[in-house]
Each structure stands twice: as C-alpha cells, then as structure tokens.
Amino acid sequence: MSNFLEECLVYRDDDLLVINKPAGLLSVPGKGDALFDSVLSRLQAIEAKTLLVHRLDRDTSGLLVFALNRPAQSHISRQFQDRQTKKLYQAIVEGQPVDQGQVDVPVCYDPKNPPLHIADPDYPKSALTYFKVLDQFQLKGQPVSRVALTPITGRSHQLRVHMQYIDHPIIGDTLYATTVGQSLSDRLCLHATELSFIHPVTGQTLNFVCPPPF
C-alpha cells in the first residue's frame, strides 16, 4: 500500500493530499468486497484520517484531492459545490470536431440502461462543458483529436456523455464510444490534467498539473 502512495502522490501537507489516480481504480469503495479496493481505501490503510472530497470515474485517470481533517474537507468540498475550483481534462476523441465550442445539455442517469447516463434537454439540472481541440491525427488509420475539456458543472459521466452527444465520443470508452472507438485504446482516454483550488488554511491558490499518460 505504501508503494501506491509513493507512485501516485503529487502533493501532501498537514491538511490535504493530491493524488494522480490510475485508470481502472475506483475513487471510493463500491458495494461488496469485490469493489472495496479504491484510492480512498488504499489511502486510509496508510493514513486513516484521509477523507473524500470529490471523485473521478473508475476508468478516468488524473488529479484527485483528499482532505486530512474535517475542516479541510468542508472547505474544499464547498469550493467544488460553488464551482470555485478549476478543473481541466484532456481526452482523445473519435473524429475531428470543430476547433472549440461548448456542450450545454443536461446529463442524467438512464434507469433503463445502468450504469449509462444520457443527454436529456428536458432534465432540470444543467450540464455545461467547454472543449478545445489541441491536435488532430490518425490512430490505427482512424481520424482522432486530442481535446481539452473544461467541465463547468460536475455531473456523473458528463464529459463522456457530452462528447458522445456531439458525435465525438472518447476513444476506449466501453460505455459510450463506437465499436471502432473502443478498439483504438485499451483504456478510456480521459485524464484530469489540471486542478486548482484555494488552500483551506493558508488561503493560497494551489495549482497542480499532471500530463496525460496517452
């Protein structure tokens, strides 16, 4: 377990931890022993007072912050709730979208097809994502694009559903990509590459950058 912290630790002080989460690992334990292994359970095995602040999907990699005391947890969680944090992701998507734009359509859980989520214009909670194309190239003979994604809201599966909604799903996505898109990568090519928030004690803005592994 200590090796996990050595490999994934980005930053640590008396109040918080910032971790580079690997793809394929849950942020928090699921239901049942088979889904207990997670970033949180591994950290708590090393540092029992580790507390959850936010999550990434199991197959998404990148920056996650955890608190080491209740006041820090409350302070940072409130920043996420009030949209005071800065989050930037990188993804590789199918096809070649326009240079930049936004997707402004609500995302909600699809009870008929769990664990899928869907874009539903009639759902009452908004979901907004900005995207910008960084590069366009061929992968296994297929046109793909590297994009920067900025979620303004934080709905479950938001980035994955929004890119599918504009017909450019993220490659390697076993839930939302096309069959061809799934074959282009053995992992979901979505990575939380930048995270900024205010330190709960010092009041300083902390900014972390973690380049994608793809």
Side-chain angles (χ1 to χ4, degrees), residues 72-91:
Q73 181 190 38
S74 177
H75 192 287
I76 303 172
S77 295
R78 193 178 307 114
Q79 294 180 56
F80 277 91
Q81 292 167 6
D82 294 341
R83 301 176 189 172
Q84 296 175 334
T85 59
K86 178 183 177 182
K87 296 176 287 183
L88 182 68
Y89 293 72
Q90 279 196 29

Side-chain angles (χ1 to χ4, degrees), residues 21-39:
K21 185 185 91 66
L25 181 64
L26 292 167
S27 294
V28 298
K31 294 181 180 179
D33 292 343
L35 297 176
F36 177 75
D37 187 29
S38 67
V39 179

Side-chain angles (χ1 to χ4, degrees), residues 156-174:
S156 294
H157 291 199
Q158 176 178 316
L159 300 179
R160 300 164 69 180
V161 172
H162 273 174
M163 297 315 293
Q164 180 199 44
Y165 183 76
I166 62 171
D167 297 323
H168 297 287
I170 300 170
I171 68 169
D173 193 336
T174 58

Side-chain angles (χ1 to χ4, degrees), residues 123-134:
Y123 191 67
K125 292 184 178 180
S126 65
L128 175 61
T129 300
Y130 295 118
F131 68 88
K132 181 178 182 180
V133 175
L134 303 175

Side-chain angles (χ1 to χ4, degrees), residues 33-96:
D33 292 343
L35 297 176
F36 177 75
D37 187 29
S38 67
V39 179
L40 182 61
S41 60
R42 292 186 184 190
L43 292 177
Q44 288 180 335
I46 303 166
E47 180 56 79
K49 58 186 178 182
T50 303
L51 299 168
L52 179 71
V53 173
H54 65 128
R55 312 180 190 199
L56 294 174
D57 289 345
R58 179 189 64 185
D59 294 330
T60 303
S61 56
L63 293 166
L64 268 178
V65 58
F66 293 85
L68 292 175
N69 54 68
R70 293 290 181 188
Q73 181 190 38
S74 177
H75 192 287
I76 303 172
S77 295
R78 193 178 307 114
Q79 294 180 56
F80 277 91
Q81 292 167 6
D82 294 341
R83 301 176 189 172
Q84 296 175 334
T85 59
K86 178 183 177 182
K87 296 176 287 183
L88 182 68
Y89 293 72
Q90 279 196 29
I92 298 177
V93 303
E94 298 183 51
Q96 297 182 339

Side-chain angles (χ1 to χ4, degrees), residues 88-114:
L88 182 68
Y89 293 72
Q90 279 196 29
I92 298 177
V93 303
E94 298 183 51
Q96 297 182 339
V98 296
D99 287 346
Q100 60 185 358
Q102 66 178 46
V103 187
D104 187 2
V105 60
V107 173
C108 62
Y109 180 68
D110 183 1
K112 296 180 180 178
N113 299 287

